[in-house]
Amino acid sequence: MNNQGLMKALFQWGAAFTLVVSGALWAATGVDLKQSPEVSGTPEGAVLMPKQQQRMALNYVNQPPMIPHSVDGYQVTTTSNRCLQCHGVESYRTTGAPRISPTHFMDSDGKVLSNVAPRRYFCLQCHVPQADVAPIVENTFEPSKGFGK
């Protein structure tokens, strides 16, 4: 095996080892959501997520809903999306989470896809954890009529 092949193999084994160790550490410090009194969800064995507050009202038409729970540690990669474990069409009924919008299955040409469209897959680009805090920068924003209540 040449030097470059050896380095590549060592790097791959190192990366695999790192993933295994980090996964074990995460599992060891993970929270048992079944023990949390504020979980939302229904059937036994469902993936449950603590709901930390009620959903805030939207301020304008087509505003992406804000997230009423923490997203710390959520993994959203090209192969895995933690949000869809609760909000996906296969699981929302058992978790009690709002279902992902049908608009998230349309590509930029309006074609309906069988999976979440790539431009809508990374949820945290539009949806943010909500917080009832003062604005960082002073502003004069007013919600649209009938919104924000």
Side-chain angles (χ1 to χ4, degrees), residues 76-78 81 83-85 87-90 99-108 111-123 125 127:
V76 180
T77 67
T78 55
N81 184 329
C83 303
L84 294 177
Q85 288 181 5
H87 297 277
V89 293
E90 303 86 17
R99 178 184 49 82
I100 186 173
S101 169
T103 61
H104 288 54
F105 292 87
M106 290 184 217
D107 68 9
S108 57
K111 180 182 173 190
V112 177
L113 307 172
S114 59
N115 291 316
V116 176
R119 67 189 187 122
R120 297 289 189 102
Y121 183 79
F122 294 94
C123 310
Q125 291 180 129
H127 301 277

Side-chain angles (χ1 to χ4, degrees), residues 49-144:
M49 189 64 226
K51 187 173 183 180
Q52 296 166 335
Q53 54 187 307
Q54 293 302 312
R55 290 173 58 185
M56 295 175 103
L58 302 181
N59 291 311
Y60 55 89
V61 177
N62 293 328
Q63 175 187 350
M66 291 182 281
I67 305 167
H69 58 78
S70 173
V71 293
D72 290 347
Y74 271 39
Q75 292 292 317
V76 180
T77 67
T78 55
T79 58
S80 173
N81 184 329
R82 173 67 178 88
C83 303
L84 294 177
Q85 288 181 5
C86 293
H87 297 277
V89 293
E90 303 86 17
S91 55
Y92 79 95
R93 286 187 179 104
T94 58
T95 62
R99 178 184 49 82
I100 186 173
S101 169
T103 61
H104 288 54
F105 292 87
M106 290 184 217
D107 68 9
S108 57
D109 297 324
K111 180 182 173 190
V112 177
L113 307 172
S114 59
N115 291 316
V116 176
R119 67 189 187 122
R120 297 289 189 102
Y121 183 79
F122 294 94
C123 310
L124 300 175
Q125 291 180 129
C126 300
H127 301 277
V128 296
Q130 67 189 26
D132 190 14
V133 297
I136 296 172
V137 177
E138 194 62 38
N139 68 72
T140 58
F141 175 82
E142 292 290 330
S144 296

